Amino acid sequence: MKIRLLLFIFLVYVVPAFSQQGLSDSLRHEWNKTTSQATKLELENLMGEAIYSAQPDSAVMIWKRVVKKADELKSKSTPAELDRVLRTKGNALNNIAFVYINRGMLDLALEYNFKSLKLRDSINDTHGIAESQNNIAYLYSTQHDTAGALDYYSKSAANYAAIKDFSGVAFTLVNRGEIYLQLNKDSLALQMFFEALQILGKDKVNHRGFSTCLMNVGKVYTRQGNFIQGKKYLDSSLTVRITNADLRGEASSYSNLGKLYQQKGIKDSAIYFGEKGFNLAVKMKSPQTVIVSSKLLYEVYSSRNDFENALKYYKTYVATRDSVSGEEQGKEMVRQKMGYEYSKKIVSDSLKFEQEKEVGNIKLERQRAFTIGGFSALAIVALLLFFVYRQRNGIAREKKRSDELLLNILPAETAEELKATGSATAKSYESVTVLFTDFKNFTQTAEAMSPVELVAIINFCYGNFDRIVSANGVEKIKTIGDAYMCAGGLPIANTTHAEDTVKAAIEMLAFVKATNEERKKENKPFFDIRIGLHTGPVVAGVVGTKKIAYDIWGDAVNIASRMESSGEAGRINISASTYELVKNKYPCEHRGKITAKNKGEIDMYFVN
């Protein structure tokens, strides 16, 4: 174990700049230098780990070869070498199981995990035992066997704690948290995740556990409707995974960002991130993420009445889901578990067994009599339950559609308040950054276009504006003809709204410029854009009783409009109050005092 650890430290710290191929070549160089068969075996196992992310099939072939060689070396090794050989075999079996877990081949995953656990048990490899128990627990959780999962997580945590492997303890916390997440016990889940983050945040090697934990916290906040915190943690998770080239993790992060935007009602962004996650998950053969992303895309496309795409992703979702959680795999898991547990028993009490068998036979006869006698009644009950189930499903689908429609009109917090009380209370905000855009010479340019083309280009621009503002935590307010209005710092107040809104403005301007370049090449009409921002207090709320809308009022809104109209095409014009909040992050050019309609002279700045 010490030698394997030293090799790992060498690979991580001494050769940090190597690519996966370079790392593999370095291991092969070390393999050629050594004469110890036990060391060669350890290096081969590490070669598989080095190429796993990019070449999982090749990695499995290497690990299976390691298992075969380990069996061949048993009779030829000294006692000290034999211990290392068997530990390496246990690691290789566990690695193979990990690949099968990611591919959704759960029966094979469990088979290899129990092989690994049995071997590690026989050589008292406490760390290895804890690792195998943790993986077995995860497999039970995928089959919704909560009791079995928690049992094995407890065993795993106890073994990790016994050898003071606190990173291992943290992994069991993450996994237990995921079970509570599935059970909708958010407070317990967050408790587990934050405890794990305290440990994993200090461990620079276990980036997968750290990024998974960040993602899970983001999932909890997303489910609770706290989208700012949800996005913060999901973005952090994605950054860690991109930095460490964890492609499977990236796929999962993209899919969860898609779910966040779906819940917010921003369908373009939900599709964008959902498809990124789906395509990467298919490429990396990660069925659990394929299930999540295909279900997301099916739901979003259905809500847009795009039934062709909805059907495509629905078929993928059902096929992948059924392949992962089929009944036969569940039976195979139970068989594997029972086989392992009984193989550990040395003495069997035959008398007790016969007694239990007799009792079991009596119970079975009673159960048969009950089953035959009550079959007709049960059939009637089942039929009634079926109709109730269909009715409830129909109601649930309609409720989901109405909720999605409401989220397209109102922020999530306002929508929830409206559903709960029938009204939404207006709220005052001390500091909000309001953004207005307007297309220059819109009327003249529009006259050169057909109505269909005009609506298409406006819809294309506004759809991308929606995506940009949402990605930056800014709330769309409304469109007024060719003007687009949004605001940062509401409905959930925050201290970064000015920077967030300026960043959104920069991205909007870049998008319009890129679109104009394409349209110029095609000799099509194009629109130049003016953007203006101002920061100040506003009141926000819902207006009307029919065709309700979320809106904001206050002098800050009027000044923001003046910033736009007093600006220049292709520039972002901001007020002094916004400038004071962003000057340390974005370089700005002071324009001096500019006369604004009905507002007198106002200090204005261009964001460069």
Side-chain angles (χ1 to χ4, degrees):
M1 189 64 192
K2 286 183 179 177
I3 289 178
R4 188 169 185 267
L5 181 61
L6 288 170
L7 285 168
F8 181 73
I9 292 170
F10 167 78
L11 294 168
V12 172
Y13 295 104
V14 180
V15 204
F18 278 177
S19 64
Q20 288 182 337
Q21 185 59 50
L23 190 58
S24 181
D25 291 344
S26 174
L27 287 165
R28 192 168 298 282
H29 177 69
E30 293 296 319
W31 188 91
N32 289 328
K33 282 170 54 178
T34 185
T35 57
S36 165
Q37 292 301 313
T39 302
K40 282 181 179 289
L41 203 66
E42 289 168 341
L43 287 165
E44 284 185 50
N45 184 61
L46 286 171
M47 284 179 202
E49 294 176 4
I51 67 169
Y52 165 69
S53 291
Q55 304 171 58
D57 291 327
S58 299
V60 170
M61 289 177 61
I62 290 173
W63 290 325
K64 286 186 175 180
R65 191 165 64 239
V66 166
V67 171
K68 184 179 179 181
K69 283 187 179 180
D71 290 335
E72 293 170 355
L73 288 172
K74 280 183 185 177
S75 59
K76 306 174 186 177
S77 303
T78 64
E81 284 183 327
L82 180 60
D83 182 72
R84 288 171 58 196
V85 166
L86 293 177
R87 284 174 188 268
T88 304
K89 179 183 175 182
N91 293 333
L93 288 168
N94 189 74
N95 288 338
I96 295 168
F98 183 75
V99 175
Y100 288 137
I101 287 173
N102 281 326
R103 291 184 177 178
M105 302 165 71
L106 304 186
D107 49 346
L108 282 171
L110 197 69
E111 177 186 340
Y112 275 91
N113 264 314
F114 274 125
K115 283 181 180 179
S116 176
L117 178 56
K118 189 173 182 180
L119 173 59
R120 287 163 160 180
D121 246 346
S122 70
I123 59 175
N124 295 318
D125 179 3
T126 306
H127 182 275
I129 291 169
E131 189 176 57
S132 293
Q133 288 169 334
N134 190 67
N135 291 342
I136 291 167
Y138 170 75
L139 284 166
Y140 283 126
S141 72
T142 65
Q143 296 297 306
H144 308 293
D145 183 351
T146 303
L150 290 174
D151 177 41
Y152 270 95
Y153 280 138
S154 296
K155 291 175 182 177
S156 176
N159 278 315
Y160 277 129
I163 57 175
K164 293 183 168 46
D165 183 345
F166 298 112
S167 289
V169 172
F171 280 122
T172 64
L173 286 168
V174 173
N175 292 331
R176 285 166 63 193
E178 288 180 339
I179 289 179
Y180 291 127
L181 191 63
Q182 292 169 7
L183 297 174
N184 295 321
K185 296 182 177 180
D186 289 356
S187 58
L188 280 172
L190 283 176
Q191 178 186 332
M192 297 290 162
F193 296 145
F194 281 127
E195 285 182 26
L197 280 175
Q198 285 186 337
I199 300 170
L200 294 170
K202 303 170 186 174
D203 188 345
K204 303 304 181 186
V205 174
N206 291 322
H207 61 83
R208 283 194 177 91
F210 185 57
S211 61
T212 298
C213 205
L214 289 168
M215 183 182 74
N216 285 336
V217 173
K219 286 163 69 175
V220 175
Y221 282 130
T222 297
R223 185 161 68 190
Q224 292 177 343
N226 188 343
F227 299 120
I228 291 177
Q229 285 293 93
K231 186 173 183 301
K232 170 186 169 185
Y233 279 94
L234 290 175
D235 283 345
S236 297
S237 171
L238 179 60
T239 299
V240 173
R241 286 166 164 174
I242 290 173
T243 302
N244 291 279
D246 179 6
L247 298 181
R248 281 179 179 76
E250 277 188 54
S252 187
S253 289
Y254 287 133
S255 298
N256 279 287
L257 279 165
K259 290 179 72 176
L260 180 144
Y261 286 114
Q262 179 195 27
Q263 194 169 327
K264 284 192 75 174
I266 303 168
K267 295 176 185 178
D268 286 340
S269 294
I271 290 171
Y272 172 77
F273 285 107
E275 289 186 337
K276 283 194 78 168
F278 176 82
N279 293 331
L280 195 52
V282 169
K283 178 183 177 183
M284 299 309 297
K285 299 179 182 177
S286 183
Q288 292 294 347
T289 306
V290 169
I291 290 170
V292 172
S293 55
S294 59
K295 183 173 184 286
L296 161 71
L297 291 164
Y298 147 64
E299 291 172 347
V300 178
Y301 277 120
S302 292
S303 71
R304 299 181 72 164
N305 296 324
D306 184 346
F307 298 116
E308 183 179 351
N309 276 314
L311 181 60
K312 179 181 76 171
Y313 285 110
Y314 178 74
K315 287 179 177 178
T316 303
Y317 163 64
V318 171
T320 311
R321 179 199 62 191
D322 291 348
S323 72
V324 169
S325 55
E327 182 181 352
E328 289 306 311
Q329 287 183 326
K331 290 178 180 177
E332 178 65 15
M333 289 187 141
V334 174
R335 187 188 71 75
Q336 290 287 348
K337 178 182 178 183
M338 298 306 288
Y340 174 72
E341 297 295 345
Y342 285 139
S343 72
K344 294 178 69 178
K345 294 182 180 181
I346 301 172
V347 179
S348 174
D349 189 337
S350 59
L351 179 61
K352 182 179 178 182
F353 173 76
E354 289 301 325
Q355 289 172 340
E356 290 177 350
K357 182 179 178 183
E358 185 63 29
V359 171
N361 286 337
I362 293 169
K363 288 181 178 178
L364 184 60
E365 288 302 319
R366 288 176 180 172
Q367 187 177 7
R368 282 174 182 166
F370 171 78
T371 302
I372 294 168
F375 179 78
S376 299
L378 285 173
I380 294 170
V381 171
L383 191 60
L384 288 170
L385 287 174
F386 171 72
F387 285 116
V388 171
Y389 172 77
R390 283 189 64 180
Q391 186 179 22
R392 284 185 176 177
N393 261 9
I395 294 170
R397 283 195 298 271
E398 291 305 316
K399 181 179 182 298
K400 184 177 179 184
R401 286 174 186 167
S402 66
D403 286 347
E404 287 179 348
L405 182 61
L406 199 58
L407 285 171
N408 270 341
I409 302 169
L410 304 174
E413 294 76 10
T414 308
E416 287 302 319
E417 184 182 358
L418 197 63
K419 286 192 292 181
T421 66
S423 62
T425 308
K427 295 180 182 177
S428 297
Y429 295 87
E430 291 183 4
S431 183
V432 164
T433 300
V434 183
L435 179 152
F436 273 92
T437 75
D438 190 59
F439 290 115
K440 181 183 177 184
N441 298 326
F442 176 80
T443 304
Q444 296 91 320
T445 307
E447 288 174 353
M449 305 170 70
S450 70
V452 173
E453 187 183 7
L454 177 62
V455 171
I457 185 63
I458 291 296
N459 186 55
F460 175 66
C461 289
Y462 286 171
N464 279 278
F465 286 2
D466 288 347
R467 173 182 58 80
I468 290 167
V469 301
S470 175
N472 286 285
V474 178
E475 189 72 29
K476 177 185 177 180
I477 305 299
K478 59 185 174 182
T479 58
I480 312 153
D482 63 313
Y484 185 98
M485 178 184 174
C486 60
L490 54 74
I492 299 174
N494 63 66
T495 58
T496 62
H497 56 83
E499 292 182 358
D500 296 339
T501 313
V502 170
K503 184 170 182 287
I506 292 169
E507 292 179 13
M508 292 162 87
L509 185 61
F511 163 77
V512 171
K513 286 182 176 179
T515 302
N516 285 346
E517 288 300 317
E518 291 298 318
R519 293 184 68 83
K520 285 177 186 177
K521 290 177 185 177
E522 298 169 4
N523 292 318
K524 291 182 179 179
F526 59 90
F527 300 108
D528 283 322
I529 191 172
R530 290 189 301 264
I531 303 178
L533 294 87
H534 172 66
T535 302
V538 301
V539 174
V542 175
V543 293
T545 56
K546 292 184 177 180
K547 296 184 180 179
I548 57 175
Y550 182 79
D551 209 344
I552 60 176
W553 306 271
D555 202 40
V557 177
N558 299 327
I559 296 175
S561 177
R562 297 294 177 264
M563 290 298 109
E564 175 272 309
S565 59
S566 301
E568 294 178 5
R571 303 299 298 270
I572 300 168
N573 190 37
I574 64 175
S575 67
S577 59
T578 305
Y579 168 74
E580 289 300 324
L581 295 173
V582 303
K583 62 184 180 182
N584 293 327
K585 185 165 184 178
Y586 296 105
C588 299
E589 169 191 340
H590 187 211
R591 302 178 62 197
K593 291 186 179 293
I594 309 292
T595 301
K597 183 179 178 182
N598 298 328
K599 294 296 175 185
E601 292 188 335
I602 302 176
D603 276 305
M604 299 185 191
Y605 299 78
F606 279 142
V607 178
N608 290 327

